[in-house]
Amino acid sequence: MTAQVGIVGVAGRMGAELVKTVGTEGSAVLAAAVDRPGGSAIGKDSGTLVGRHANGIAVSPDLRAVVSGLDVVIDFSRAEAVATTADICAEAGVALMIGTTGLDADAQRRIDAAARRIPVLVSANTSLALNVLLELVRRAARALPDSYDIEIFEAHHRHKVDAPSGTALVLGQAAAEGRSIDLERAGLTGSTPGARAAGTIGFSVVRGGDVVGEHDVRFLGAGEQLRLSHIATDRAIFARGALAAALWLVGRPANRYQMADFLFEKQ
Ligand code: NAD
């Protein structure tokens, strides 16, 4: 079966990656493309918009007008748009993959409401390998004694404004879950003078050059270190992971899923 895929935020950086990725996936076809009402992309062919051949799917300002007949919608747009996407997909009975970040409490509540009617997967990082890393970090933190210090190192390009990265914080959360501790209390950002307090999860940040994204989780014990690393070199990984998860969602029961559900329960 070829899944009919809709993309919300199609004119953005991730939208462009998704259009290209869907074009190379034999089991999916782009059937709807949506972006912000009033934006310069509206009405344009979504294939030529991303520098590919015309695909006959014009960019629409209204998901409701194009949602009928879709199997799954992938949203990489803006946080303010996501609740409306969730409402529309729930009404139409169409599965939803959300990669958009920065969702507020209202969006979360409406996603939860939608997930009672349709399958929804929300992930702030859709890289497949990064999500495997999360599980490895959780397990390593659970298995190793608390005497092993945990340090999360991340490096990004010189233009990134937030630090530590959202992904570093999610890795810290996974380590804290593995140890059954609270990251709010155990998290340590910046260097503090004096000896390191036991049981802390530290964060180290480097900014420079054009680094797409590096994350390194270190478990530092007496006489040994375990290092688990992920290096991103191309943002297409996020589109590939999002599409794979979106196709996995099609036909699932209504629920709110995570990437781990897809990665570890798909077999
Ligand atoms: P972008 O600014 O390049 O693109 C966002 C697009 O959404 C734009 O084309 C914009 O016009 C459109 N948009 C805005 N309001 C809209 C609305 N109401 N309806 C429809 N479209 C609307 O941003 P980006 O770099 O492509 O990132 C998009 C989102 O994905 C961000 O939240 C970003 O943090 C997130 N992201 C997630 C991952 C992941 O792995 N999950 C990876 C990269 C980026």
Side-chain angles (χ1 to χ4, degrees), residues 8-9 11-14 35-36 76-78 81 99-101 123-126 235 238:
V8 178
R13 280 166 294 206
M14 282 303 301
D35 208 90
R36 179 173 60 82
F76 276 78
S77 60
R78 288 284 160 84
T100 307
T101 59
S123 173
N125 190 317
T126 49
R235 63 191 300 125
F238 304 116

Side-chain angles (χ1 to χ4, degrees), residues 7-18 34-37 39-42 49 60-63 75-82 84-85 97-103 122-127 131 167 235 237-239 242 259:
I7 298 172
V8 178
V10 74
R13 280 166 294 206
M14 282 303 301
E17 293 293 345
L18 282 161
V34 178
D35 208 90
R36 179 173 60 82
S40 58
I42 300 303
L49 189 69
S60 165
D62 182 10
L63 177 61
D75 186 309
F76 276 78
S77 60
R78 288 284 160 84
E80 315 84 76
V82 171
T84 304
T85 302
M97 163 74 225
I98 299 170
T100 307
T101 59
L103 306 177
V122 186
S123 173
N125 190 317
T126 49
S127 148
N131 280 278
T167 299
R235 63 191 300 125
I237 57 168
F238 304 116
M259 287 297 281

Side-chain angles (χ1 to χ4, degrees), residues 27 92 100 104 129 155 164 184-185 194 223 229 246 254 260 265 267:
S27 57
T100 307
D104 65 12
E184 292 280 309
R185 288 205 206 132
S229 303
E265 292 170 26
Q267 290 90 0

Side-chain angles (χ1 to χ4, degrees), residues 149 151 188 190-198 200:
D149 295 317
E151 185 73 14
L188 193 70
S191 51
T192 37
R196 181 173 182 141
T200 51

Side-chain angles (χ1 to χ4, degrees), residues 210-263:
D210 60 356
V211 181
V212 174
E214 293 188 15
H215 293 88
D216 203 8
V217 182
R218 302 182 189 186
F219 296 83
L220 303 111
E224 65 174 354
Q225 274 189 42
L226 171 64
R227 292 186 182 180
L228 300 170
S229 303
H230 179 263
I231 299 173
T233 53
D234 185 348
R235 63 191 300 125
I237 57 168
F238 304 116
R240 285 199 292 268
L243 179 61
L247 296 179
W248 174 83
L249 274 184
V250 176
R252 302 252 146 210
N255 205 345
R256 181 162 171 163
Y257 297 96
Q258 301 179 348
M259 287 297 281
D261 298 320
F262 154 60
L263 283 169

Side-chain angles (χ1 to χ4, degrees), residues 16-90:
E17 293 293 345
L18 282 161
V19 171
K20 294 176 196 166
T21 304
V22 173
T24 59
E25 168 61 62
S27 57
V29 64
L30 187 68
V34 178
D35 208 90
R36 179 173 60 82
S40 58
I42 300 303
K44 292 187 178 156
D45 183 279
S46 56
T48 52
L49 189 69
V50 303
R52 295 286 159 99
H53 292 301
N55 58 20
I57 305 296
V59 180
S60 165
D62 182 10
L63 177 61
R64 196 172 261 111
V66 292
V67 74
S68 159
L70 295 181
D71 293 302
V72 63
V73 166
I74 305 176
D75 186 309
F76 276 78
S77 60
R78 288 284 160 84
E80 315 84 76
V82 171
T84 304
T85 302
D87 292 349
I88 294 170
C89 288

